[in-house]
Amino acid sequence: MAKDNQFVSQIADIETDFPQWYTDVVVKTKLVDYGPVKGTMVIRPYGYAIWEIIQNEMDRRFKAAGVENAYFPLLIPMSFMTKEAEHVEGFAPEVAVVTHAGGEKLQEPLAIRPTSETIIGHMYGKWVESWRDLPLRYNQWCNVMRWEKTTRPFLRTSEFLWQEGHSVFASAEEAEKETLDMLRFYEEFAVNVLCMPVLTGKKTEKEKFAGALATYGMEAMMHDGKSLQSGTTHYMGQNFAKAFDIQFTDKNGTLQYGYTMSYGASTRLIGALIMTHGDQRGLVLPPPVAPVQVVIVPVAQKKEGVLDACGELLKRLQRAGFRVKLDDTDNSPGWKFNEWEMKGVPLRIELGPRDIESGKLTVFRRDTLEKTDGYSLSEAETVVSKLLQEIGENLYAKAEKRMKERIVDAETLDELLEGVSKGNFVRAGWCGCRACEDRVKEFAQATARVLDKNHTAKICVVCGKKAEHTVFFARAY
Ligand code: ZN
């Protein structure tokens, strides 16, 4: 049997060995492979197809919101990185630096972008002169590099793909509004495209972006109860405007610094999808992001008329706008069922001589593992449309139920530890001091994910003083 066919085999147990389950799934479904350099991954066509759908869906929404795409260089002069003190300190351990090129030592070392605030800030400094030039709201789709010693495909790799949006406004109010608007943008995307419930909110000082005044995050609960940060937005105030001289003449003729913000979401979203919806059989892809939404598997495909009927159904469903594949390979139907289930295809249609004769369809749902026969072949488009809609809703509902059930409250450190150990998000009071936040990390290996907007806790879970915030604590990827 060909080497590629071996991937329909064992996947580690999802409940007892989730990390190995994840590795098995991403490799065996051919989403990714490991690159020759530690910390790098190769995104294979099936994985890249998911990314392309995410890109298209997000890009369409950005454009509708008035954001424009541009592209900035990969290489950034090291001197740029040092202009914003907190920024350089935050990113220093992760930056890869080019010191030699063209067979010579470079006069000035060049950073490979870990993020592009500095170079975009530099260019905005050149482009912005008057209040009439504002706002600038640009986004770029690109790769970035943050050095990693280990490789966790889609979760932690040195190089990853993302979008980074950078805006500059004339006022703090506008920049702050955009920071919150983009957080809601991500949330809408997570809910409607990834069928993934999320918690959104402000990050603590400790967890915020290096150089920002405020960072907001979107956190999703994975199958094991750990949190995955799936998108962030940052309000910079005038920090970067001052560092990069983004100045404009206001309506009164006075020179002012602009206010900047940025936001990013990456290929981590694919990791989030896998760990939110996956099950023991492998991937479970929500219909809006599934590269193949429907697979048609012929039954007794050598019998006369079967492949023709399957081909006709393929064309009909494609014309109706679905992403459909006909698996007419020589593998047995059982083998095909396993393969496409592992690859998370939402719907499988089985079509054999008996179905064709009776004008019926047999349909298998990946989310519920239920097979139903008796659907009318002539109404295939309507049936598929309805079922894909139901699958998306069901996946969201299941994930939401899990998240709601696994948010628990704690009033003491012991309760907090017990909560996160059992794979929960723990909601607890916090006095706001760094020492208490550090203590949670040390004691329970949990971090403050986001602040709860509906602050209700009375006392700090660590020191017992008055709580200034209510925090969602969790172990995180
Ligand atoms: Zn405290």
Side-chain angles (χ1 to χ4, degrees):
M1 193 171 269
K3 202 175 163 205
D4 273 351
N5 289 354
Q6 292 170 2
F7 75 113
V8 179
S9 60
Q10 285 290 312
I11 301 177
D13 190 87
I14 190 170
E15 304 304 336
T16 57
D17 195 355
F18 192 61
Q20 189 59 44
W21 173 90
Y22 180 80
T23 305
D24 287 349
V25 167
V26 294
V27 172
K28 288 177 180 176
T29 58
K30 295 197 237 177
L31 294 179
V32 288
D33 206 342
Y34 291 87
V37 176
K38 224 179 208 179
T40 64
M41 67 171 167
V42 178
I43 307 178
R44 301 181 72 177
Y46 196 50
Y48 201 75
I50 298 176
W51 180 239
E52 284 183 309
I53 294 167
I54 289 175
Q55 263 191 317
N56 289 338
E57 289 288 332
M58 209 180 260
D59 202 60
R60 189 164 56 75
R61 287 166 163 80
F62 281 143
K63 284 172 181 155
V67 175
E68 296 176 283
N69 282 338
Y71 187 78
F72 296 84
L74 171 82
L75 297 172
I76 301 176
M78 268 313 276
S79 58
F80 282 22
M81 295 296 297
T82 57
K83 279 189 181 181
E84 213 289 333
E86 273 186 36
H87 188 68
V88 68
E89 198 191 317
F91 278 101
E94 301 178 322
V95 173
V97 183
V98 179
T99 56
H100 290 74
E104 290 173 11
K105 187 165 187 283
L106 298 175
Q107 296 243 318
E108 181 182 358
L110 303 171
I112 296 177
R113 62 179 165 220
T115 179
S116 302
E117 276 74 11
T118 59
I119 194 160
I120 293 177
H122 173 79
M123 298 313 296
Y124 280 1
K126 285 175 69 171
W127 297 336
V128 173
E129 286 178 357
S130 136
W131 62 273
R132 289 185 187 83
D133 300 325
L134 295 174
L136 291 180
R137 298 167 71 221
Y138 295 169
N139 173 65
Q140 75 168 339
W141 290 97
C142 65
N143 58 346
V144 286
M145 181 161 278
R146 298 177 185 177
W147 209 250
E148 288 284 349
K149 294 199 177 73
T150 54
T151 318
R152 295 286 285 147
F154 298 123
L155 305 176
R156 226 159 256 289
T157 51
S158 293
E159 182 187 359
F160 57 87
L161 305 180
W162 76 346
Q163 61 71 216
E164 49 177 323
H166 298 265
S167 305
V168 53
F169 293 91
S171 71
E173 293 71 32
E174 289 170 279
E176 283 179 311
K177 180 177 181 296
E178 178 98 327
T179 311
L180 291 171
D181 284 351
M182 283 305 168
L183 185 68
R184 275 190 290 272
F185 175 100
Y186 284 144
E187 183 171 12
E188 185 276 330
F189 184 83
V191 170
N192 291 316
V193 181
L194 308 179
C195 303
M196 186 172 82
V198 289
L199 291 176
T200 57
K202 199 174 181 184
K203 294 264 174 188
T204 64
E205 284 292 303
K206 182 183 175 180
E207 299 290 332
K208 78 176 190 201
F209 180 80
L213 294 184
T215 287
Y216 297 83
M218 171 167 93
E219 301 281 325
M221 181 185 278
M222 303 295 101
H223 182 88
D224 59 353
K226 281 187 171 172
S227 188
L228 184 75
Q229 181 173 294
S230 312
T232 46
T233 72
H234 316 288
Y235 171 59
M236 313 296 190
Q238 296 182 315
N239 286 354
F240 283 86
K242 285 181 176 161
F244 292 96
D245 213 19
I246 309 174
Q247 280 186 298
F248 67 97
T249 314
D250 70 13
K251 285 178 184 169
N252 306 317
T254 314
L255 207 53
Q256 305 269 11
Y257 284 108
Y259 293 82
T260 66
M261 60 78 65
S262 68
Y263 49 99
S266 71
T267 35
R268 272 200 135 198
L269 289 173
I270 300 175
L273 265 185
I274 298 165
M275 294 197 293
T276 297
H277 302 300
D279 67 13
Q280 188 54 52
R281 296 193 192 188
L283 294 175
V284 178
L285 296 177
V289 279
V292 179
Q293 295 171 310
V294 185
V295 63
I296 302 170
V297 176
V299 179
Q301 71 180 31
K302 295 214 168 70
K303 286 245 168 83
E304 202 189 327
V306 171
L307 276 184
D308 287 344
C310 289
E312 201 177 300
L313 180 61
L314 172 75
K315 281 199 200 113
R316 274 175 56 196
L317 293 176
Q318 283 174 333
R319 266 200 303 272
F322 303 110
R323 296 186 287 270
V324 195
K325 188 174 172 68
L326 165 60
D327 186 350
D328 56 2
T329 58
D330 281 340
N331 297 308
S332 71
W335 195 96
K336 292 175 188 177
F337 295 173
N338 285 335
E339 180 184 13
W340 295 110
E341 279 169 30
M342 185 188 257
K343 294 189 118 174
V345 172
L347 273 186
R348 177 175 80 229
I349 294 178
E350 299 165 22
L351 201 58
R354 241 174 297 161
D355 305 289
I356 296 161
E357 202 183 327
S358 61
K360 299 289 182 194
L361 279 180
T362 301
V363 180
F364 172 85
R365 274 176 68 156
R366 179 63 182 88
D367 61 329
T368 55
L369 305 175
E370 283 167 359
K371 198 189 262 201
T372 309
D373 54 17
Y375 287 115
S376 163
L377 179 56
S378 65
E379 290 166 16
E381 292 90 340
T382 319
V383 169
V384 165
S385 170
K386 180 173 152 285
L387 289 176
L388 290 179
Q389 177 74 25
E390 277 179 31
I391 291 169
E393 286 165 7
N394 179 44
L395 289 176
Y396 181 85
K398 263 164 75 174
E400 190 188 37
K401 181 166 175 283
R402 178 178 64 212
M403 190 168 83
K404 284 190 170 158
E405 281 171 1
R406 293 168 83 169
I407 293 176
V408 299
D409 294 289
E411 288 189 344
T412 66
L413 262 182
D414 286 324
E415 285 173 11
L416 194 156
L417 173 63
E418 194 194 341
V420 295
S421 303
K422 288 180 175 164
N424 297 305
F425 283 7
V426 175
R427 190 167 42 196
W430 174 50
C431 64
C433 88
R434 176 67 180 262
C436 287
E437 191 179 358
D438 288 343
R439 179 77 182 126
V440 170
K441 168 92 185 180
E442 180 192 47
F443 190 80
Q445 299 80 54
T447 47
R449 303 318 304 162
V450 290
L451 303 182
D452 184 357
K453 284 158 284 201
N454 314 305
H455 166 58
T456 50
K458 301 271 186 295
I459 57 160
C460 174
V461 69
V462 181
C463 68
K465 287 183 193 150
K466 183 174 176 289
E468 294 296 329
H469 306 280
T470 302
V471 180
F472 289 105
F473 289 100
R475 291 185 179 156
Y477 282 93

